[in-house]
Amino acid sequence: MPNKISILSTRPLETALIEAAKAKDIHIDIVSFIDTSPVATTNMKEEIAKVIKQPAAVVFTSMNAVTTVAAYINGHPPDWSIYCIGHTTRQLVARHFGEQSIHTVGNNASDLADKMIGNKQVKQVVFFCGDQRREELPGKLRQNGIMVQEVIVYHTISTPHKIDKAYDGILFFSPSAVQSFFYANAVLPSTILFAIGQTTADAIKSFSDNTVIESDRPGKEELVKKMFQFFKK
């Protein structure tokens, strides 16, 4: 009997993914290294209300931003052209704002910015984001003459945990989770580190020289599939 593969996921996963892993003799432990909480200030609510009332080009690069803003639309999707990253964030945008609202989808924030810059119609956007948002998208847009109004709608809270178990692989879903994990932990040289995208992979490489494997496309399922492929060898 081969030994079971032991994996740590730094974000909750759907039961179906955990069961699929079990069927392949892969055991997944879930430990969250970040938490998020919506911003609830009067100022933020007023900013969202103002944007809801008008046609706008709106950007989402985070599922947390989508769910936070969606709570304010009362079932009446606004007249928005939405630019978002793929998979989970895109699915949530379609669910809350309607498929017809999605204008452009990027593989990651940098790719999305490139597509928006290529669309000469985009002059001004509203970027709903967290307080630890990355610079790739707003930086690129501003450098190319696109005005970016940032509305911070959620806080990212680091929740480090000391891990006493050795894992064959660790799944990382954001640079914030990477920082939180390495704040309290080191990894064995043999541990394979899996990243949901390039910015997360870059964050891992700033803490570790271990092998980093990046998902082909954004999405929790995509990263888990990538891990399955690796350990099938």
Side-chain angles (χ1 to χ4, degrees), residues 6-25:
S6 190
I7 300 294
L8 174 65
S9 175
T10 58
R11 178 179 282 182
L13 296 173
E14 287 74 14
T15 307
L17 289 173
I18 294 169
E19 292 302 319
K22 266 188 201 165
K24 298 175 187 295
D25 267 344

Side-chain angles (χ1 to χ4, degrees), residues 134 172-175 178 194-205:
R134 306 277 295 181
F172 288 103
F173 300 89
S174 71
V178 172
F194 295 86
I196 199 163
Q198 189 183 334
T199 52
T200 301
D202 289 344
I204 294 170
K205 288 169 189 172

Side-chain angles (χ1 to χ4, degrees), residues 11-232:
R11 178 179 282 182
L13 296 173
E14 287 74 14
T15 307
L17 289 173
I18 294 169
E19 292 302 319
K22 266 188 201 165
K24 298 175 187 295
D25 267 344
I26 297 172
H27 175 79
I28 300 179
D29 288 333
I30 309 282
V31 181
S32 289
F33 283 84
I34 56 167
D35 200 1
T36 59
S37 66
V39 174
T41 62
T42 306
N43 186 42
M44 187 215 68
K45 290 174 185 174
E46 286 171 355
E47 282 197 72
I48 293 177
K50 205 185 296 176
V51 182
I52 284 172
K53 287 176 189 161
Q54 60 197 30
V58 167
V59 182
F60 290 109
T61 59
S62 147
M63 59 183 191
N64 295 306
V66 177
T67 52
T68 303
V69 175
Y72 291 90
I73 65 170
N74 298 319
H76 302 291
D79 182 13
W80 288 349
S81 288
I82 296 178
Y83 299 80
C84 62
I85 59 167
H87 214 70
T88 309
T89 301
R90 185 201 181 286
Q91 286 175 343
L92 286 170
V93 168
R95 184 188 307 164
H96 292 295
F97 298 96
E99 190 73 41
Q100 78 290 340
S101 71
I102 299 172
H103 186 287
T104 301
V105 180
N107 287 323
N108 52 49
S110 183
D111 177 52
L112 181 61
D114 290 340
K115 288 180 176 175
M116 293 170 73
I117 291 159
N119 174 1
K120 302 302 180 190
Q121 308 304 311
V122 182
K123 307 290 183 200
Q124 182 174 346
V125 299
V126 179
F127 180 28
F128 291 114
C129 56
D131 59 348
Q132 291 190 30
R133 65 106 180 103
R134 306 277 295 181
E135 183 60 27
E136 284 89 350
L137 181 132
K140 267 191 178 182
L141 295 183
R142 287 180 178 127
Q143 282 165 12
N144 285 273
I146 297 171
M147 260 179 66
V148 182
Q149 176 194 348
E150 292 185 38
V151 182
I152 294 171
V153 296
Y154 70 93
H155 296 297
T156 301
I157 302 140
S158 181
T159 55
H161 303 274
K162 185 80 181 87
I163 300 296
D164 296 320
K165 184 172 168 182
Y167 287 97
D168 298 295
I170 303 175
L171 305 175
F172 288 103
F173 300 89
S174 71
S176 305
V178 172
Q179 289 167 2
S180 181
F181 174 86
F182 282 103
Y183 177 81
N185 299 282
V187 289
L188 293 173
S190 58
T191 304
I192 308 301
L193 307 176
F194 295 86
I196 199 163
Q198 189 183 334
T199 52
T200 301
D202 289 344
I204 294 170
K205 288 169 189 172
S206 72
F207 289 99
S208 171
D209 294 327
N210 283 31
T211 299
V212 178
I213 293 176
E214 199 179 316
S215 177
D216 297 323
R217 291 191 298 278
K220 288 193 277 190
E221 295 88 346
E222 296 296 329
L223 189 58
V224 171
K225 281 181 194 163
K226 196 79 178 172
M227 179 266 291
F228 286 167
Q229 284 169 5
F230 179 85
F231 286 110
K232 200 167 78 174

